[in-house]
Amino acid sequence: MTERIPCQSQNCAATILPATAHKTGGFCMPCYQEQERRKRQAYIEQHRRDVDLYKGIADPVEVLKIMHAKQAYDPLIRYLPYPLNREQVYSALSGEDAERMKVYALELLGAGDEETSVDILLSLLCYNNVRLTDCIPALICHELYYPGILYKDASAEVRDQLLEQVEQDNENRNHLLLALAWIGDGRVVQQFQQWREQPPQWAKELFVSPDQYSLEAGWELTEAGVRRDLFSHTGFAIERAAEPLNADLAANEPARFLGAGPEECPWCGNGFTRLMELRNNHPSVRDLALADEWLKVDTCLSCGSYSVIYMETGAQGEPRWSLYNQAPQPLPDLNLVDDNDEYLAAAPRLHLAAQPRNAYHAVEWTLEPAASQVGGQPTWIQDAEYPVCPCCSENMMFIAQLDWSQLGPYGEGIYYMFICPKDKITATVYQQS
């Protein structure tokens, strides 16, 4: 039997064959591979160079083309980032530049780069509210029906084509229904009502009834067969300042975010968190005609991760725990240690933007927008989840959302806030990837 040789690495107890020692200089293979990895890393660090693809480029369209381009990986190259992120560059585009980007997206589509083309069209729609009516025939030609919001401004001709296709196209039916929901005009509403009254044969293949697809586009079909939007078309970003707002500015803000609630959760014993206080005359909720000066939304951050949390409006608009709340069964083993401090620390820096943004600015989660907002269309991470009012059984109105990733380095998920103005009940829902 061949005698094995100890590995020369300090603190390594492995033994190796003489043949292996001859190849590796006396080291076992794991130690030898680690040495080689360190040599490669040292070489990369010594020879790596910075490359600025944006140097000398002032045209925002050219900047975005570079941002969307897929760079080949080279460990010896470190690409320097542009001073603005993609969302910021898109949001600042002029109308002419947005049209140029749309033309570029169609060129990419024709060249077979469907993924980048759709990404650009989504960005133009969400960040710039660009109408994509003239792009939709090309999307249909390539059988691209998702995301459905791309069809929001489709013509009556396209709508009728999709209504006919959905009856026959089993493979694309789910996406076709979403596209129709985003079109959402009177003819679509009429058809959804007809499907609700007389479900088609193919409806049994779906997870929900055809008319329920409207929720993904932010509206519901009422009992009377009328479209009812579930969000305000006036949306405002919740921004995070570099420094805390001074006392005078904070006192005049129309909204406040992330404070300690006055009560404790009866399920877990943790203190409630006040997600938001919003003046009821703010444009995003003015049409709700709420009675109290402030709209206040409380939740339990622990239990709210597992269940819808309802709060009823008491005196001076103060939230109070609703008896309609139903604990998940069995109730999860919740950590009773209050871990809200990290997020509460962000509160002094949060403020509501003075100017509204496109209601669909943050609708597409995959674009990774700055999602915290009051009003506008929700940024659903999973399926649309409008809670039902426990009093009137109607879907509740979306009013705001807080993206936890904007609040701390380890934040994840979004808390959504809703209200039934008729019954003065708020609700919160949490989703994460």
Side-chain angles (χ1 to χ4, degrees):
M1 178 178 294
T2 304
E3 183 179 357
R4 298 179 68 88
I5 303 171
C7 174
Q8 291 189 17
S9 292
Q10 188 177 6
N11 299 325
C12 180
T15 60
I16 55 177
L17 295 171
T20 303
H22 179 73
K23 294 179 181 178
T24 64
F27 298 96
C28 68
M29 193 56 68
C31 291
Y32 176 76
Q33 291 173 341
E34 176 61 19
Q35 288 180 355
E36 292 298 304
R37 186 195 68 79
R38 291 179 180 178
K39 289 178 183 179
R40 288 194 301 273
Q41 188 61 35
Y43 179 86
I44 289 171
E45 293 297 330
Q46 182 180 359
H47 295 85
R48 179 181 286 161
R49 59 192 177 91
D50 292 337
V51 174
D52 186 358
L53 297 174
Y54 306 99
K55 185 177 181 179
I57 297 178
D59 185 349
V61 171
E62 295 303 318
V63 169
L64 285 171
K65 287 180 180 180
I66 295 173
M67 286 183 166
H68 282 286
K70 298 176 176 63
Q71 305 299 334
Y73 174 72
D74 186 336
L76 297 179
I77 294 179
R78 178 169 44 223
Y79 293 104
L80 298 179
Y82 193 69
L84 303 177
N85 63 32
R86 191 185 296 181
E87 177 184 1
Q88 292 168 323
V89 178
Y90 268 106
S91 298
L93 286 179
S94 67
E96 180 182 351
D97 288 339
E99 288 299 315
R100 289 170 59 201
M101 281 302 297
K102 187 165 66 172
V103 170
Y104 179 61
L106 291 178
E107 291 175 356
L108 291 176
L109 184 60
D113 190 354
E114 297 178 353
E115 180 180 353
T116 306
S117 176
V118 167
D119 200 24
I120 292 173
L121 293 177
L122 269 178
S123 300
L124 290 171
L125 191 157
C126 294
Y127 299 145
N128 304 86
N129 202 23
V130 171
R131 292 175 61 87
L132 303 180
T133 309
D134 52 339
C135 301
I136 292 176
L139 294 173
I140 293 176
C141 182
H142 287 77
E143 297 187 340
L144 293 174
Y145 305 108
Y146 184 84
I149 191 174
L150 294 173
Y151 288 78
K152 181 172 69 71
D153 299 311
S155 65
E157 180 182 3
V158 167
R159 175 206 64 205
D160 291 341
Q161 178 181 342
L162 298 187
L163 282 171
E164 180 179 350
Q165 185 176 348
V166 76
E167 298 287 352
Q168 311 295 332
D169 192 343
N170 296 336
E171 182 178 353
N172 293 305
R173 181 170 290 125
N174 185 58
H175 290 166
L176 289 167
L177 287 169
L178 289 171
L180 287 167
W182 276 104
I183 295 172
D185 62 8
R187 177 67 185 91
V188 171
V189 172
Q190 180 185 22
Q191 184 61 68
F192 276 29
Q193 172 70 353
Q194 181 178 335
W195 282 333
R196 184 166 67 182
E197 294 176 348
Q198 299 177 334
Q201 184 67 23
W202 44 261
K204 60 185 179 183
E205 302 172 6
L206 306 173
F207 291 105
V208 297
S209 60
D211 59 283
Q212 290 293 302
Y213 278 75
S214 66
L215 297 177
E216 296 293 333
W219 59 279
E220 69 170 350
L221 188 65
T222 67
E223 289 296 324
V226 176
R227 170 176 171 152
R228 173 178 174 251
D229 286 357
L230 298 172
F231 67 98
S232 169
H233 287 263
T234 305
F236 293 79
I238 300 173
E239 299 174 339
R240 178 169 179 164
E243 298 293 335
L245 301 180
N246 65 53
D248 291 337
L249 288 176
N252 294 320
E253 281 288 304
R256 297 188 285 261
F257 305 97
L258 293 177
E263 305 292 338
E264 292 183 349
C265 175
W267 291 348
C268 69
N270 279 348
F272 288 135
T273 296
R274 180 149 298 173
L275 295 178
M276 179 182 70
E277 293 183 355
L278 177 68
R279 292 189 186 276
N280 287 336
N281 62 358
H282 190 264
S284 61
V285 292
R286 188 179 294 153
D287 292 344
L288 299 180
L290 303 172
D292 299 299
E293 180 183 2
W294 291 89
L295 167 59
K296 303 174 182 179
V297 182
D298 285 4
T299 195
C300 173
L301 294 184
S302 297
C303 301
S305 301
Y306 300 93
S307 176
V308 177
I309 300 294
Y310 293 104
M311 291 285 183
E312 300 178 19
T313 302
Q316 287 78 51
E318 287 297 321
R320 62 183 183 219
W321 182 260
S322 174
L323 296 179
Y324 289 107
N325 284 313
Q326 297 182 1
Q329 297 297 328
L331 188 67
D333 184 15
L334 299 171
N335 182 6
L336 297 184
V337 177
D338 189 353
D339 60 354
N340 301 342
D341 291 347
E342 175 187 341
Y343 309 114
L344 295 178
R349 291 178 168 83
L350 298 179
H351 66 97
L352 205 55
Q355 298 299 320
R357 67 184 187 182
N358 178 29
Y360 305 100
H361 183 101
V363 70
E364 189 59 39
W365 177 63
T366 59
L367 294 180
E368 298 183 348
S372 294
Q373 64 182 18
V374 171
Q377 178 91 335
T379 311
W380 297 115
I381 298 176
Q382 302 168 22
D383 293 336
E385 189 178 357
Y386 291 90
V388 173
C389 174
C391 292
C392 66
S393 299
E394 292 184 356
N395 288 311
M396 302 177 75
M397 291 285 297
F398 170 77
I399 49 176
Q401 63 189 24
L402 276 173
D403 183 355
W404 240 237
S405 67
Q406 293 179 237
L407 308 181
Y410 305 108
E412 182 182 9
I414 296 177
Y415 268 95
Y416 309 86
M417 293 166 260
F418 305 85
I419 190 170
C420 176
K422 179 173 58 177
D423 295 307
K424 299 182 178 180
I425 293 179
T426 63
T428 60
V429 169
Y430 175 78
Q431 289 187 356
Q432 69 178 58
S433 58

